[in-house]
Each structure stands twice: as C-alpha cells, then as structure tokens.
Amino acid sequence: MTNLAKRIFYKELVSYRKRSSTYLSPIVFFLITIALYPLALSNDPADLSFLAPGITWICVLLSTLLSIQNIFNEDFEDGSLDIFFSLRVSTLPLVILKILVNWIFSSLPIIILSSTVVFLLFLPSEGLVILLTSLLIGTPVISLFGALAGALSLGKSSILGPAIVLPLSLPILILGTSAVTSFLNGENPSFYFLMMLAIFIFLLPLICYACIGALRLHYE
Amino acid sequence: MNRAFNNLKTFYHKLGSSPWFYRISGITIPYVALLSFLFLTIGIVWGVFFSPTDFKQGDVYRIIYMHVPAASVSQSIYYTMTVAAVVSMIWRMKMAGIFIKSMAPIGASFTFLALISGSIWGQPTWGTWWIWDARLTSTLVLFIFYVAIISLYSSFSEKKSADQAVSILTLVGAVNLPIIKKSVDWWNTLHQPASIKFTESSSISPEMLYPLIISIFGFYLVVLLSGLMAMRAEIAKRETNKEWFKNY
C-alpha cells in the first residue's frame, strides 16, 4: 500500500513538472490580478494597505480556480483513472495524493509569491506572517473543494467548477481575511486559525469520499 | 407498534415506485390546488386589506405576508432536498433523484422571491435596496447553491449519474451551509458594527400574526403543489417509453 502511494506520488510530481503550463498559469494570473487592483482602485499606499489582505485572498482564490480542472482531467482523458478504478485497491490514497500534489504545485507557489504584497500593496510587514499562515491553513480547504468540483465536472464545461468552488469557499475567505485584519487591529488571530483548521479536519474525509463517489459516476 | 412500522415501510417502498406516485399525485393534485388557493387567498387578503397598519412602518410592512413565507419556504426546500439526497445516495432510489431535480428550480425561485421582496421592503424602510447584512448574504449564497445544483444537473446527459452528482453536491452544500451562515455572522460583526438594526424584536400583534401564519401555510401548500406537478412532469419525461406509462 505505501509502495503504491509512493509511486502515485512520484508519478504525479513528474507529470506536473512536465506540464509547466499547469503550474505557471496560476502564478502569472496571480501577479497580473494583484497589479490590476492598484490601477483600478487607488495608488494611495494608505488605501492599499487597508485593502491588502482582502485583495490577496481574492487573488489566491481566483488563481487556484485555474488549476482545479487539472486535478483529475488528464488521468480521465488518458484512461489511467479508468484502470485505477477497475483495480481492487482503495482509491482513497489516490484522491488524497492527487489533491496534495495539486496543492503543492498550484497553491504553494502562490502563497510564497504572495509575500510580495508587502511591497506591491503596502501590507504592514508585521502582518505578513499572519497572512502567510492564514493562506497555508486556508488553501488546502479550497483545494478540497476544487477537487470535488473537478471530479463532478469532469469533461464538462469549465464554468461549473467556479460555480461550485466559490460559494463553498466563502467561510475560508471570511476567516482568512478576518485573521489578518484583526491582527492588524491589535487582536489575537488564533481563533480564526483554529476555526479554519477545524473546517479542514472536518471536511477532509467528507470531501475525499464525495470525490470518490463523484469519480465513480463517470464509470457507471 | 410493529404494524405501524410495517405500514411505514410499505409506504416508503411505494414512494419509490414511479407508477404509484404518478397515480397518487394525479389524484391529490386537485385537492392540494384547492387548499393552497384557499389558504393563500385568505392569508394575503386578510393581511393586505384587513390587518391593522403598523405604527412605525405604515402600510409598507404588508409585504411581510409575501416575504417571510418565501424566506421560510426557501430554506425548508433545501432541508427536504438534503434528506432526498441521503436517500438517493444510500438506497439509490430514483424517485429521490426526481425529487431533487424538480425541487431545485422551485427552491431557487422562492429564494429569488425572498431576495426581491426583501429589497423592495428595504428600499422604503432602511432607504437602500441592499445591505451586506448576514441574513441577506446567506440567502444570496443559498440562491447561488440552488443555481449551482441546477447547472450541475443540466451538464449531465445520463439521468442516473446526474441524480447521483446532484445528491453529492446537495449533501456537501448542506454540510457547508451552517458553516457559511456562522462565518457570515462573524464577518458581519467584524466589519459592520451595527449600522442599521432591522431585526429588533418587536413582538408582532396577533391581528398581524394570524394572517401571516395562514399565508405561510399557503406558501407551503403552493410548494407542495408545484413540487407534485414538477415531479409528475419529470416522471412522464423519463418514463415515456415504459409499458405502464403507455397504458396509463
């Protein structure tokens, strides 16, 4: 079992590394959208530093949307998902590892990049650690929703993914931005972190099994 | 006790059979239609013409007889859909799938009605069509959920997988709706320190309450009626080529 999991993990890593567009496009998208906000709203550092946590979170959320179609689509189209579902092994590790690798390649670079908002959006530098922590805790939940949406809309129109992910991600968006703003207002943000963590732990098994159910639908 | 349970079990099994449902719903629809017409007419006419004028809001408040029932119905429909989703996932009952498919547009329209009537009410009383208040936001999210369910259903060509996919989404939504509601509450207290209070607990007088209860009943009956009709139409659509339907 662990051997199989390790192989799946390496296979996923290699296949992501070979398709550079799948992890480069969210990064490019993130940088462009971050640059759009000062142009559209205001270039005043005071305004921007007030809006920075919200803008960063929205941009992260939107750029992870770009990669959700990739979680299962490739394997669905070349038939390897078909083979995996016909094997007599548990599909749970496959789903979890796919979500994990997708998170490593699509969310982690964006989280690292989002530290540039200290310069670009004038986020007060003491808030940066809180912002990064909130992103680290919050984005796995968004990846879970993304995997579910990807599994449900496999081979379907791509507008369906955002229509499912965005309303589900509202709590994470609220908690993530609230953590940063409450810290900047001099409050303790640990409540928001614990809440996001609780949501993640609660949803992890649920969404993984929902994903398996959704993937099965395409093989009935 | 045992007999009652057995009766319940037979009823449940019958509920899963589309010919039985088609026949029974055909018989009950006229009565439900009559009842819902009666309740709705009494509730609305009583509320709009005969109940006393509110001393604070004037006659504007009378939209309550449409807004509150619509808001109440819009949430209840989602709960019933959740139950149907559980049934559809565990027992693969096809009637549960038909139920979700038929109820989602009805739920969406009542949620929309609640939002629209709420903003028409809000314009004269709070002076704005919309505020980002906790309750308004979570109703909007509920509406988006309904639309997502409808669009997910329409993206599948195979009815059986469409039913299952929609059940999964309905369940995940049902688990998330309380979380969304709670987090919207936190967000609201953080960003808007009590700008406009519109839910002050003004105890409603009985002359206003009775017509409200009657029109809430009326709305539930309308939902029952439209649900039965939509499910009947869906059964007819899916089973046009079945033997029992041709002989019906």
Side-chain angles (χ1 to χ4, degrees):
Chain A
M1 199 67 235
T2 47
N3 197 13
L4 183 66
K6 221 182 267 172
R7 283 185 189 188
I8 294 169
F9 187 69
Y10 283 129
K11 183 242 157 198
E12 286 296 310
L13 283 183
V14 169
S15 72
Y16 266 93
R17 226 181 48 221
K18 292 211 166 154
R19 288 174 289 139
S20 54
S21 73
T22 54
Y23 63 88
L24 283 180
S25 53
I27 293 174
V28 173
F29 182 84
F30 178 79
L31 285 176
I32 290 173
T33 38
I34 283 283
L36 290 181
Y37 279 93
L39 295 176
L41 295 173
S42 133
N43 56 6
D44 182 16
D47 291 346
L48 282 176
S49 72
F50 172 69
L51 294 169
I55 293 174
T56 317
W57 256 100
I58 290 175
C59 291
V60 169
L61 188 60
L62 292 180
S63 38
T64 44
L65 282 181
L66 287 184
S67 65
I68 57 170
Q69 291 288 336
N70 301 325
I71 299 183
F72 298 112
N73 234 0
E74 185 103 335
D75 279 9
F76 177 65
E77 276 166 4
D78 69 11
S80 49
L81 212 58
D82 204 348
I83 293 171
F84 208 91
F85 268 84
S86 60
L87 290 177
R88 298 179 127 226
V89 289
S90 164
T91 41
L92 190 61
L94 175 80
V95 170
I96 292 177
L97 284 170
K98 272 189 163 300
I99 297 171
L100 176 69
V101 176
N102 181 68
W103 181 80
I104 291 174
F105 273 92
S106 64
S107 294
L108 205 55
I110 295 172
I111 294 174
I112 295 166
L113 258 183
S114 66
S115 49
T116 55
V117 297
V118 176
F119 321 111
L120 292 177
L121 300 177
F122 308 103
L123 180 83
S125 52
E126 66 269 21
L128 182 64
V129 179
I130 303 294
L131 178 71
L132 291 182
T133 320
S134 75
L135 287 172
L136 272 176
I137 302 175
T139 46
V141 185
I142 294 166
S143 289
L144 285 179
F145 293 139
L148 178 71
L152 281 173
S153 64
L154 216 52
K156 303 263 160 41
S157 75
S158 54
I159 186 62
L160 210 54
I164 294 172
V165 175
L166 289 179
L168 287 171
S169 316
L170 281 186
I172 298 300
L173 183 70
I174 291 169
L175 292 168
T177 49
S178 301
V180 185
T181 43
S182 72
F183 175 76
L184 291 177
N185 291 339
E187 291 161 35
N188 187 1
S190 61
F191 165 76
Y192 301 103
F193 292 150
L194 291 175
M195 221 54 221
M196 281 197 281
L197 211 57
I199 292 176
F200 175 68
I201 292 166
F202 175 63
L203 287 178
L204 179 65
L206 189 90
I207 301 281
C208 284
Y209 279 108
C211 273
I212 293 173
L215 289 174
R216 283 248 160 80
L217 292 180
H218 301 277
Y219 297 110
E220 269 183 1
Chain B
M1 184 61 210
N2 206 5
R3 212 171 127 200
F5 181 71
N6 276 336
N7 284 341
L8 203 67
K9 221 167 121 186
T10 358
F11 176 70
Y12 179 73
H13 285 302
K14 275 183 184 162
L15 211 58
S17 123
S18 43
W20 183 84
F21 186 89
Y22 195 80
R23 195 162 50 81
I24 294 295
S25 63
I27 296 166
T28 44
I29 278 177
Y31 298 104
V32 177
L34 191 69
L35 269 180
S36 59
F37 178 74
L38 222 65
F39 268 89
L40 212 58
T41 320
I42 293 173
I44 297 286
V45 169
W46 186 0
V48 171
F49 296 107
F50 299 104
S51 66
T53 308
D54 188 80
F55 81 99
K56 231 198 236 150
Q57 298 186 8
D59 281 326
V60 177
Y61 95 96
R62 290 180 200 278
I63 202 171
I64 197 175
Y65 299 109
M66 200 167 111
H67 175 69
V68 169
S72 145
V73 156
S74 68
Q75 289 182 4
S76 313
I77 290 178
Y78 202 92
Y79 297 140
T80 58
M81 279 167 61
T82 310
V83 175
V86 172
V87 170
S88 149
M89 302 237 0
I90 296 174
W91 292 287
R92 305 260 161 158
M93 195 198 255
K94 67 180 174 208
M95 285 301 293
I98 291 176
F99 179 82
I100 298 177
K101 198 261 155 178
S102 335
M103 288 314 267
I106 299 171
S109 8
F110 276 102
T111 317
F112 189 67
L113 183 67
L115 285 170
I116 290 291
S117 61
S119 86
I120 291 172
W121 194 4
Q123 166 58 22
T125 45
W126 325 320
T128 168
W129 294 101
W130 183 266
I131 36 171
W132 286 99
D133 161 80
R135 241 195 268 187
L136 274 73
T137 313
S138 45
T139 311
L140 185 67
V141 173
L142 184 68
F143 178 69
I144 296 171
F145 264 110
Y146 278 124
V147 174
I149 288 171
I150 295 167
S151 61
L152 180 67
Y153 185 89
S154 61
S155 78
F156 279 83
S157 49
E158 171 73 34
K159 296 278 182 214
K160 224 174 174 179
S161 10
D163 284 346
Q164 290 301 308
V166 162
S167 308
I168 292 172
L169 185 60
T170 309
L171 271 185
V172 171
V175 169
N176 269 279
L177 273 175
I179 301 178
I180 290 174
K181 215 167 171 146
K182 202 73 215 150
S183 61
V184 167
D185 277 342
W186 288 321
W187 158 74
N188 199 41
T189 49
L190 190 84
H191 290 263
Q192 284 194 333
S195 50
I196 302 173
K197 265 217 184 94
F198 68 99
T199 50
E200 63 246 69
S201 52
S202 54
S203 54
I204 186 164
S205 75
E207 294 93 10
M208 294 177 186
L209 187 63
Y210 293 144
L212 182 61
I213 291 173
I214 292 174
S215 62
I216 288 177
F217 260 116
F219 266 69
Y220 274 94
L221 283 166
V222 168
V223 169
L224 181 66
L225 175 69
S226 41
L228 284 175
M229 284 164 76
M231 283 173 79
R232 232 170 113 80
E234 185 64 22
I235 292 173
K237 204 161 124 197
R238 287 192 192 188
E239 315 212 334
T240 327
N241 297 321
K242 292 271 173 71
E243 205 52 45
W244 71 265
F245 191 80
K246 283 180 187 157
N247 301 332
Y248 186 76

